[in-house]
Structure formats: C-alpha cells, structure tokens
Amino acid sequence: MGRTFLCRPRRPLVAVVVATGLLGALAGPPETGAASMRTTAAEANTATVFHYTKTKNWTSTYLHYAPDGGAWTTAPGTKMEAACTDWVKQTVDLGSAAGLAATFNNGNGVWDNNGGANYALGTGNITVKDGVIAHSDPCAGTDPVEGNRATVYYSTATTGWTTANLHYAPTGGTWTTAPGVGMEAACTGWWKKTLDIGTATALKAAFNNGNGVWDNNNSADYALTTGTSTVKDRTVTRDAKDPCAAEEPDTQAPTAPTGVTASATSTSVVLSWNASTDDTGVTRYQVTRTGGTKGTVVTDIASTVYSDTGLEERTGYTYTVKAVDAAGNTSPASTGASATTGEKAPEPASGTPLGTDPRKDPIYFVLTARFHDGDSSNNRGGSRHTKSGNAANDDPMFRGDFKGLVEKLDYIKALGFSAVWVTPVVLNRSDYDYHGYHGYDFYKVDPRLESAGASYQDLINAAHAKGMKIYQDVVYNHSSRWGAKGLFTPTVYGVRDSQWSWYYDERNAGFEYDGLTVEPKSGKAYYNGDLWSTAEPSGNTCLDWGRPTGGKSAEGYTLYNCQWPSPTSGMFPKALYHRCWIGNWEGEDARSCWLHEDLADFDTENTQVQNYLIGAYDKYIDMGVDGFRVDTAVHIPRVTWNRRFLPAIQERVTQRFGAEAAKNFFVFGEVAAFVNDKWNRGSVNHSAQFYTWKERKEYSADDEAAALEQFTYENDQGTGNQPTSTNAFLNGNSYHTPDRSRFSGMNIIDMRMHMNFGDAQNAYGNGKDSDDSVNDATYNVVYVDSHDYGPNKSSERYTGGTDAWAENMALMWTFRGIPTLYYGSEIEFQKGKKIDCGPSCPLATTGRAYYGDHLAGSVTASDFGTVGSASGEVANTLAQPLVKHLQRLNRIRRAVPALQTGQYSTEGISGSMAFKRRYTSGSTDSFALVTVTGDATYTGIPNGTYKDAVTGDVKTVSNGTLSVAAPGKGNLRVYVLNGPGKIGTDGPYLK
C-alpha cells in the first residue's frame, strides 16, 4: 500500500510548441479578450484563502466572495492559483472589512456553498477543507508549486524573419501586451520560448516579427498545450521532438529481403523480392550474382525487381539480395534464388530517343490493337468474342499490332505527324483488355501486339528511322483486377460451376498467363486457369468464399462471393493496394480508392509499389521511347509524382541518354477534369494545371502522410493562392526566356480546351483563360476527342461536321500547344458513334472500330505532310478533304517556328480567334500574326514586310497596324514577318 505525502510540490508539466508561418498582415495582435487573473500581493488587511481540491477533483477552482459590508464578486468569481499538492489559494484585499463571506465552484456550475450557508471567513491564512474552516498555511515548509510549462518552437524557414515574438494567453488568462515576448534563437530556422502558464493546461498563441507582420493561423490563433510543441507552416505538432536536437546515429540494419524468385527467358533473368523494412527506410538493394565465366557480380538498384540481361547461354546463375539504408547499414543476405538461361534470341538493338523539342511534333494517337493488322496469328478475341458480337464481324478485339503499325508509319508521316502516341504495351489481363489499361505484367510487352521481326523495339526503331517519335501510354495508378505479376496476384476465386465454365478456364496449375496461349478444350486463349479454385484453399483471405451473394449476373447466372476481385473482398494486401471505392471524385478518396472493379488501385505511396513501377518503366525508357503519356495521373497525389515517379524518369533518361534527352523526354498527364471551368469544381488538387508545378513546401517524409498534408494544405490555399506563370505569353511583341525552375516535370493534356471543343471559338476562349495557371501552356497537348470522350464529356466521337473539323484543326495547328489527332478523325471516322460500350456491343459499331480497311494498299511518304506514292484504298483515304487540310496545316506549322514553340499574345488585336506568336533563339526570330475564320486587326506590331503562309499575300506595315479580311470558316491567315510566303497549294479550306 502506497504512502501519501501532503503538500509535496507538484512536478511541473512541460509543453513545447514549434511553428512556421504562413503570414497574415494584421494592424494589431489577435486578442480574444480573455479575463485577466487577479495577482495582487497580500496587503496588511488581507485574507489568503486555501481550498482543498483532492476530494472535489475539480480541474479549476473559483472563489466567489463578498467582503463584510461589501458587494459579491461577479460569478463565478476569481480563479484560484495552485499552492501545493491538493491545495489552491487566493489572496483577497479586504480594505477595512474584518472578514468575508465566500463560496467555491468549478467554473462550470458545480458549487460548494457550505450547504447553502456560505463560508464566514476572517483575515490571515484560512483553510477550507471538506467544509471545515481552520487558520493555517497548509503549504508552509514546502516549495511553492511551479506553474505548468509550455515550450514552443517556431520555424521561420519559409518566412525569412530575422526575429520572432510569441504573443499568447493561457486558457482563462489575458493576452500578453503586443508584440508579446521575444523568442530565443534555437538553431537554424527555429526560435524557442518556454512559458510558465500557471494552472492552465493550454494556451492560444500568435507569432510576429516585431515589425507588424503576423502569423495568427489565418485569424484562428494557434491552440497549444503543455509540453513541447512545434509550429511550422501553420501546422502544430504536439508532444514534438526538439527540432534542434542532434539526431542519434542510425545503427539499425534493414531486414533481409524475402520471397526472392528468379525466372529466365532466353539469356535474361528477372529477379523479384519482397521489400525489406527499416526504421528509417531502405534506399537501395545489392544484388549479388554468381555463376558463369564472370564470377561474382554485385549490382546496386533502387527497385524490388531486377532484370539481368546479356547473360551467357544455357548457364545456371544464383542470386542473393541485401537491403541498404541511407546510413549504409546492410541487411543479411536473402535466401538464394537460381535460374538457368536458355539460348540467346535475336533482339533488335535498343533505340535512342530523338531528343528534340516535343512542341515541334504533332501527335497521332492510335489504339494499336484497332489500327492495322499486320499479323493475324496474334489476333485474339477473348472470352466475350461471341457475346460482344465481334465474332459475327470477324473482328477480334486484339486485331491490330506493331507489325501493322510499322507497315503504316508512312501513312501517318504522309499526314504530317512526327509523333505517334500508342496505347499501353504491357501484358494486359482483363475480359476486354485490347486497349491496354488493365496491366498485369508490367515488365512484359503483350505478345498479342508483337510478331517475329515486329517487336515493340522494332516499332521504336522503325519510327526513329523515319524521324518519328513514339510516346508510350503508361499506367501508374492501377493494375488489372487480377493484380500485377511480380508484385501481387490474388489466387483465390470461385466458383466454376456449369454456368461459369465459359468464363473460368479449367484449372491448369502449370499455366502462366501470356494472353496468347490457347486452351485446347475451349479453343480460346487461357484467361484465368492459373487462378481460380474449386475448393477454398488454406490461407484464403477473401470473405465468405464461394457463397452465393443472392444476386444474378446480366445473363441470369448465380453470383458468388469472391467471383471476381474487389477492393472490399479482402483479396488484396492493404500495404500494396487500396481497399475502397471512390465516393467523392473531387475528394482525397479519388486518389486512394478503386476507379472500377477492373482496375485494382495501387497504393502508390508504398515503396515496394513505387519500385515495381519505376523498374518496369525503366525498361521502356531503355528501349528508347521518346516520352510517356500518363494515364489517370490525377488519381495519384502530385507530391508522389514530384517525389518519386517524375524524378525517376528524369534520372533514368539522363543516365542512359544524357541531360539534353532528359529535358526533351515528353511526359504529359491525363488529369481528367471534366468541367468547363478553370478549376475543377474549385478543387485545386484535381485540376489539370496543378500537376505542372513543383511543391512549394516540405511535407512529412512518409509519402502517405505527405499526400494527406499536401491535399489539405493546397485545398486550404484555394484557387486564389496558386502559382502563376508568364511562360506562354509574349511581353508585348517580345519573346522572353521562360522560367521553368518550378516545373514539376509533367505537362498536361489540355482538358479545358477538349471539354469546350463543341466549337473552336469556345475552346479558344476557355484555353486562354487557364494558361496563366499552367507552368508552360505551350507544351499542352490539345485534342478534340479521344478514345474516352468527345467534347463536353460526350460519349460519342466528334460529329460537328467537316467545316467545324477544319476550323478546329486550323486553331489547333496555329495556337499554343501540341496538336493531337485521334486515329481516323482525318476522315471523320465513326463520327457520332458511341466511343465505347464495353463487351456489350461489337467494336465495329463504336469509335474504337478497326481502321485497317481504310489503309489497305501501299503508301510511302516523301516528307512530313507529303505523299510519295499511294495505291489501293489508302489512296482514297489520303484524298479526303480533311486529309488535304491536315497535310497543309502540318507543313505550314513545320515551316514557321513561332507556331511550334512561340509564346502568344492578344494585346492590341481585334478578332474572335486572332493572336500573335513569336519565338526567338539565336539566329531564329519568328513572328506570326494568325486569325482563324474571322477578320482581325493588329495594332502596335513591328513595322516590316509580312507574308501570308496560306495565300502568299504580302503586306507592308509602316504604322504598326495590319488588317486582315475574314478568310472563312475552317480557313486562316498566317502573316509572318519576313516570312517564306505561301507554303503548299490551295486545298478545300486553306486557300
């Protein structure tokens, strides 16, 4: 049984506060008007009243009193001070009175008024303990109690203040006199102050620089408590570590990697393993290889997947892996994994990106599987081939391939395009995966796209040989519903009864999915024969495996639990995949939940996931692709892009091909904002231009915490406090060097123009309105429609008519940004048709129909936008009016640098779609005046000779003014200062 010591001094509580400021300029301190505490020292005729607190268990005690013959204090009275353990006190000046009447309360309506009689007290030291009055000092002989303490650290790293003051008020107390108390320098960027706040356990605070600049938490003040707190960038951390304390050296090694597997293909071995854990984080892995004539080889890599290539034929190799942290601590070696290589397969040489400014290259976008079929042996229809109606059209979903694309590169070049955007190339796995967005093996090219002599590498090399770039569509946000090979693949599915035998293959334990191999019994490509189970296996994590849900499929079949993977089934580990459905498309869960049941959402803030994806896309960078189109970019936090994926891309390109190639490696993201306003329903985190910027503050080292912090911080900043840029705009008539120092590394698809391309004028006006919030809008990828949507989120391919298409193209090819065309739009292919209806209708009736029939025959291009020869149906395709229009637009744009890389302005210009553009670099100075469809007048322009690239008309300007008559819908005028004159011949629109 413990002993109790009365009046033992209390151990003081300590509070530390740290802050960094986002500033609000105020005329004075942000006071709240708290009542002051009475602290007058006892005089000759005083009463010092002690009240016993232990049996009351009150957090605060108030003395409500009236001197004899005097008035009562205002309820609840005066707050009493801590005296010693279990006692509080208050000294009262009685004046001429000989005593006082008193009651006590807790400040919240609980009273001790001596059973209704009040307490009659005299002078001197008086104690009131459980209703008994005595005259003594219960704290005599003890040290006076110290008040509670709060230690506050405030960061000025982002404010640049050279001094800091702390203005505060303890709870129940008064504010200090402005500007408060001076803080002491603690360490670089940090100021410190320890406060005695009496019996209070919390305080309100604001900070200032002593010269009228305040940080008062946006007028809300900072709520701090006892102990140590830090305040940094308006974020309070309670019970914080001393930010100025020297960090203890890291001596703890990571755990050894587990789950190491090695598989050989030809003379390459792919090694994968589970990520190690560490108290501060793993920075790299050491892979040790033994075997072959080279002996032991040690390689450092950052990911959990390693592709070891160029090995000896028919040779056994053994691998072990160690994890290393930032301090150099190294884990024990993993268990070894072995693989034996086969014969060397002929492989084309790796490509090299062309490395030129991407703004010079108009983009032609193809769904590879739907463009042109060069090899029918790799065609596959999938399990829905008949049900979809594709079989009746002899139109398997996987039909086009790289061989067909290589064969028709000259068609694309003859249109005038020098960049080809291809849909994702990785091995897909879904029930309808021809488009490529259901990645399964991110380290393997889908064999349904490749042929002998026409691999993906062959396509890249063939395009480069023609001076054409390849932009690869990539997906970082999600895998297929069946997971990602090498990272995680769920293996528990049911139930293959007679109804579902068409969907679930027979069990084949030795089968490895490749999308191509045909099951002998069904005659269809294997789909899931390696995955499903007819009996619940041990280790099953899926809830209620195999039990009927009570529902039916569209065909009327019984649905079972675990029939397919889903985020809430328990099939996926929460460390690697998110486990929720999106509820708010403009909220944080849009970045951390599943889009669709076919798209298992990666936890992209997990290091193992990051390494898996970085390692995969390094492979395609090494092949020499010229850029990445990033799918579903908005569903990954910008801070994760900026910290992990974008730097990894730059690092790899620089490592393989040099800094200049890295600068021009073109990354453009699909930040899908399907609205007609500048900011996506007011959410900056979900607006396209937001992704073009670097971070402007530091966040927690943990990526998941950082993502939440960024979302909140930027959301609180709102649309009015986002960075702006003049990189797309002329300074009067002058080009200026753009400032790309704050560029994130990701450019964007111009969703604002896309959504407003109901007509060109609308797209033009909306596009201009967003440009000051994009880091550099001259890099925006501009298109009318795509494989997902038409303008205004229409589900049909653009159907505005040939004249409207001509006008759209005239604007896209002369306004800032990179013009991009979805395959077939040059002949209004499938106009008005539903772009996608999934497996519920034949592809031939949709906007993703097979295009190869229009390309039958032969074609050569003598230059960009120029046909060398053409025969067969492709010659008829190339004779269409929009093709002629497109070819000439491409030739004009290619001949006028201002239309490719120039900044623009509408200053001093009248006209509905009229602007001036200029690009100046070295000996190049290109200045162009453009008007689309309507008339225009340009004032304040340089004097000189201007030549129209469309008609060859010459105008001499001597008074700074040039006027142009309306050329008509779909037509335009491009007057170039000291320009080349007419480019190409008149066509149906440009004349």
Side-chain angles (χ1 to χ4, degrees):
M1 184 173 179
R3 294 177 292 175
T4 301
F5 296 91
L6 296 179
C7 298
R8 183 174 59 190
R10 290 191 297 176
R11 182 179 180 182
L13 298 176
V14 178
V16 179
V17 184
V18 180
T20 59
L22 294 172
L23 308 180
L26 302 177
E31 298 186 1
T32 58
S36 63
M37 297 175 62
R38 181 182 181 119
T39 58
T40 305
E43 298 178 1
N45 195 31
T46 62
T48 299
V49 182
F50 293 85
H51 190 263
Y52 188 63
T53 62
K54 185 173 183 179
T55 52
K56 296 295 185 186
N57 199 28
W58 291 348
T59 56
S60 299
T61 304
Y62 290 80
L63 172 63
H64 183 48
Y65 69 94
D68 293 347
W72 283 86
T73 56
T74 301
T78 301
K79 187 175 182 180
M80 303 183 76
E81 305 168 353
C84 56
T85 301
D86 300 331
W87 290 93
V88 293
K89 70 176 182 178
Q90 183 64 44
T91 299
V92 177
D93 183 354
L94 297 174
S96 61
L100 67 158
T103 62
F104 304 89
N105 66 88
N106 70 348
N108 289 306
V110 180
W111 289 81
D112 172 10
N113 62 358
N114 195 22
N118 300 333
Y119 290 100
L121 308 178
T123 61
N125 294 324
I126 308 165
T127 61
V128 180
K129 179 180 180 183
D130 299 332
V132 178
I133 300 172
H135 290 268
S136 66
D137 181 352
C139 298
T142 67
D143 294 330
V145 67
E146 295 183 14
N148 295 334
R149 291 187 177 179
T151 299
V152 182
Y153 285 90
Y154 182 73
S155 171
T156 56
T158 57
T159 67
W161 291 355
T162 56
T163 187
N165 296 298
L166 171 58
H167 182 52
Y168 70 95
T171 302
T174 58
W175 283 88
T176 55
T177 302
V181 295
M183 303 183 77
E184 302 97 24
C187 57
T188 302
W190 288 100
W191 297 77
K192 172 185 177 182
K193 189 67 177 177
T194 298
L195 308 172
D196 185 341
I197 58 174
T199 59
T201 58
L203 66 152
K204 285 190 173 183
F207 304 89
N208 64 86
N209 70 349
N211 290 307
V213 180
W214 287 81
D215 171 13
N216 62 0
N217 195 22
N218 270 357
S219 300
D221 299 330
Y222 289 99
L224 308 177
T225 60
T226 55
T228 298
S229 303
T230 62
V231 182
K232 183 175 183 180
D233 292 334
R234 230 170 53 208
T235 299
V236 175
T237 303
R238 296 174 180 173
D239 298 323
K241 294 181 180 179
D242 181 348
C244 297
E247 292 187 7
E248 295 183 5
D250 178 13
T251 58
Q252 181 175 328
T255 60
T258 60
V260 182
T261 60
S263 60
T265 302
S266 184
T267 53
S268 298
V269 172
V270 175
L271 195 72
S272 65
W273 57 92
N274 299 325
S276 297
T277 58
D278 185 63
D279 59 333
T280 59
V282 174
T283 58
R284 59 190 171 93
Y285 294 90
Q286 289 181 347
V287 177
T288 300
R289 182 189 77 205
T290 57
T293 59
K294 293 184 179 180
T296 301
V297 177
V298 179
T299 305
D300 284 358
I301 65 168
S303 69
T304 55
V305 180
Y306 174 55
S307 180
D308 198 7
T309 60
L311 301 172
E312 298 169 49
E313 295 181 292
R314 297 178 296 278
T315 302
Y317 293 93
T318 299
Y319 297 83
T320 58
V321 186
K322 296 179 181 180
V324 185
D325 65 16
N329 299 309
T330 304
S331 76
S334 69
T335 302
S338 299
T340 301
T341 59
E343 294 184 1
K344 183 177 181 180
E347 295 180 357
S350 293
T352 300
L354 296 184
T356 54
D357 191 319
R359 294 173 294 179
K360 296 180 179 180
D361 302 298
I363 303 169
Y364 191 74
F365 171 35
V366 301
L367 270 70
T368 307
R370 307 302 302 160
F371 186 63
H372 181 59
D373 187 9
D375 177 10
S376 61
S377 69
N378 59 11
N379 292 358
R380 294 293 183 273
S383 62
R384 303 291 183 100
H385 186 50
T386 300
K387 288 178 175 289
S388 66
N390 287 336
N393 295 319
D394 192 20
D395 185 26
M397 61 177 184
F398 266 97
R399 187 173 180 183
D401 45 41
F402 295 142
K403 185 176 182 182
L405 187 50
V406 168
E407 290 175 353
K408 300 304 177 183
L409 284 174
D410 266 32
Y411 168 78
I412 298 172
K413 185 172 182 176
L415 295 177
F417 293 95
S418 49
V420 183
W421 157 14
V422 296
T423 39
V425 304
V426 304
L427 175 61
N428 264 231
R429 187 166 189 165
S430 84
D431 197 33
Y432 213 61
D433 53 9
Y434 63 94
H435 43 65
Y437 298 100
H438 298 145
Y440 173 68
D441 188 345
F442 287 70
Y443 285 77
K444 182 183 180 67
V445 175
D446 200 309
R448 290 168 288 190
L449 299 176
E450 293 194 303
S451 310
S455 66
Y456 185 41
Q457 186 69 72
D458 289 317
L459 169 64
I460 295 168
N461 295 351
H464 288 173
K466 295 180 183 294
M468 302 169 69
K469 295 179 177 179
I470 295 293
Y471 295 149
Q472 178 179 328
D473 212 321
V474 295
V475 184
Y476 286 77
N477 177 67
H478 56 263
S479 70
S480 71
R481 63 154 52 129
W482 311 102
K485 183 181 177 183
L487 183 69
F488 178 78
T489 302
T491 56
V492 178
Y493 305 95
V495 164
R496 186 181 188 271
D497 59 15
S498 59
Q499 292 180 327
W500 289 106
S501 60
W502 66 273
Y503 185 83
Y504 290 102
D505 305 327
E506 289 191 19
R507 178 71 174 165
N508 186 340
F511 167 63
E512 182 172 315
Y513 175 79
D514 62 5
L516 201 59
T517 303
V518 173
E519 181 190 25
K521 286 188 178 181
S522 68
K524 300 184 301 182
Y526 272 116
Y527 179 43
N528 47 28
D530 56 333
L531 297 178
W532 66 271
S533 303
T534 54
E536 184 173 6
S538 60
N540 169 41
T541 59
C542 185
L543 306 176
D544 297 323
W545 183 92
R547 297 179 185 176
T549 65
K552 299 286 185 179
S553 73
E555 299 88 350
Y557 304 156
T558 298
L559 293 176
Y560 299 90
N561 284 306
C562 312
Q563 192 85 43
W564 302 282
S566 75
T568 56
S569 65
M571 292 182 179
F572 289 89
K574 62 181 179 181
L576 304 179
Y577 284 89
H578 293 129
R579 289 181 158 186
C580 53
W581 297 105
I582 291 178
N584 178 8
W585 288 84
E586 279 72 52
E588 171 59 29
D589 60 338
R591 308 192 304 180
S592 57
C593 296
W594 286 36
L595 293 166
H596 188 269
E597 65 175 13
D598 256 2
L599 309 175
D601 199 79
F602 285 131
D603 183 349
T604 50
E605 286 61 67
N606 175 278
T607 302
Q608 186 177 350
V609 173
Q610 292 168 356
N611 289 340
Y612 175 84
L613 293 167
I614 290 169
Y617 291 124
D618 279 352
K619 168 180 177 175
Y620 304 105
I621 291 172
D622 293 351
M623 294 172 75
V625 296
D626 300 275
F628 288 158
R629 179 269 187 182
V630 181
D631 180 72
T632 50
V634 71
H635 297 292
I636 296 175
R638 186 184 74 180
V639 69
T640 304
W641 283 116
N642 287 352
R643 279 183 173 186
R644 309 301 175 199
F645 298 132
L646 295 173
I649 292 170
Q650 283 290 300
E651 179 182 321
R652 188 67 168 197
V653 180
T654 302
Q655 179 188 50
R656 293 303 301 270
F657 306 111
E660 187 66 17
K663 183 182 75 172
N664 289 318
F665 188 90
F666 190 45
V667 178
F668 57 105
E670 179 207 23
V671 184
F674 297 118
V675 293
N676 293 318
D677 51 8
K678 180 172 182 176
W679 297 97
N680 186 2
R681 298 178 178 87
S683 173
V684 295
N685 287 281
H686 296 89
S687 300
Q689 59 269 35
F690 179 75
Y691 278 72
T692 65
W693 296 95
K694 285 182 178 178
E695 303 308 328
R696 47 182 167 168
K697 69 181 295 293
E698 293 183 3
Y699 300 102
S700 297
D702 177 77
D703 285 347
E704 185 172 351
L708 293 171
E709 290 168 9
Q710 183 212 54
F711 184 92
T712 301
Y713 175 80
E714 295 292 356
N715 198 56
D716 288 348
Q717 294 301 303
T719 60
N721 193 25
Q722 293 301 313
T724 58
S725 170
T726 61
N727 285 341
F729 307 118
L730 292 173
N731 184 5
N733 292 315
S734 299
Y735 178 86
H736 62 91
T737 302
D739 176 9
R740 305 273 284 169
S741 62
R742 294 182 293 164
F743 175 51
S744 66
M746 181 183 289
N747 300 287
I748 53 171
I749 293 170
D750 198 322
M751 298 300 293
R752 185 92 185 272
M753 289 192 72
H754 162 55
M755 286 302 296
N756 287 282
F757 252 122
D759 63 82
Q761 177 67 59
N762 196 33
Y764 172 66
N766 277 275
K768 288 191 304 177
D769 183 49
S770 292
D771 287 352
D772 62 343
S773 294
V774 181
N775 182 269
D776 192 341
T778 65
Y779 288 84
N780 284 11
V781 170
V782 181
Y783 58 61
V784 173
D785 61 358
S786 72
H787 59 319
D788 287 324
Y789 293 105
N792 297 309
K793 207 177 181 181
S794 163
S795 60
E796 291 81 34
R797 287 194 75 156
Y798 185 72
T799 186
T802 310
D803 290 352
W805 253 124
E807 185 178 50
N808 291 343
M809 291 178 180
L811 175 64
M812 293 162 65
W813 261 257
T814 55
F815 189 44
R816 59 93 186 119
I818 303 171
T820 301
L821 198 71
Y822 183 38
Y823 81 99
S825 292
E826 63 271 24
I827 61 169
E828 297 179 85
F829 181 60
Q830 298 295 92
K831 63 180 179 181
K833 296 299 178 81
K834 191 174 184 64
I835 293 173
D836 175 34
C837 58
S840 63
C841 72
L843 280 166
T845 65
T846 72
R848 297 176 176 179
Y850 177 64
Y851 192 59
D853 294 338
H854 298 277
L855 303 176
S858 64
V859 58
T860 62
S862 57
D863 201 352
F864 291 103
T866 305
V867 178
S869 64
S871 63
E873 184 57 34
V874 70
N876 295 327
T877 301
L878 289 166
Q880 298 302 305
L882 282 178
V883 171
K884 297 298 184 184
H885 184 57
L886 187 62
Q887 287 172 317
R888 194 168 180 210
L889 283 171
N890 269 317
R891 293 177 65 186
I892 291 172
R893 188 178 190 272
R894 190 170 294 274
V896 182
L899 302 183
Q900 304 170 43
T901 54
Q903 295 162 343
Y904 79 95
S905 174
T906 59
E907 181 183 352
I909 302 173
S910 66
S912 57
M913 283 188 284
F915 45 90
K916 54 188 174 184
R917 298 190 66 185
R918 191 170 204 157
Y919 175 72
T920 306
S921 178
S923 61
T924 300
D925 185 18
S926 177
F927 184 73
L929 307 175
V930 179
T931 183
V932 178
T933 300
D935 59 6
T937 297
Y938 305 84
T939 61
I941 61 173
N943 292 332
T945 301
Y946 291 79
K947 298 178 182 178
D948 180 20
V950 177
T951 65
D953 180 49
V954 178
K955 291 183 183 293
T956 300
V957 174
S958 58
N959 61 354
T961 300
L962 185 151
S963 296
V964 182
K969 191 175 180 70
N971 202 351
L972 79 158
R973 297 290 180 258
V974 183
Y975 280 90
V976 182
L977 180 62
N978 301 319
K982 185 173 183 177
I983 299 169
T985 58
D986 289 353
Y989 292 99
L990 296 181
K991 55 188 177 181

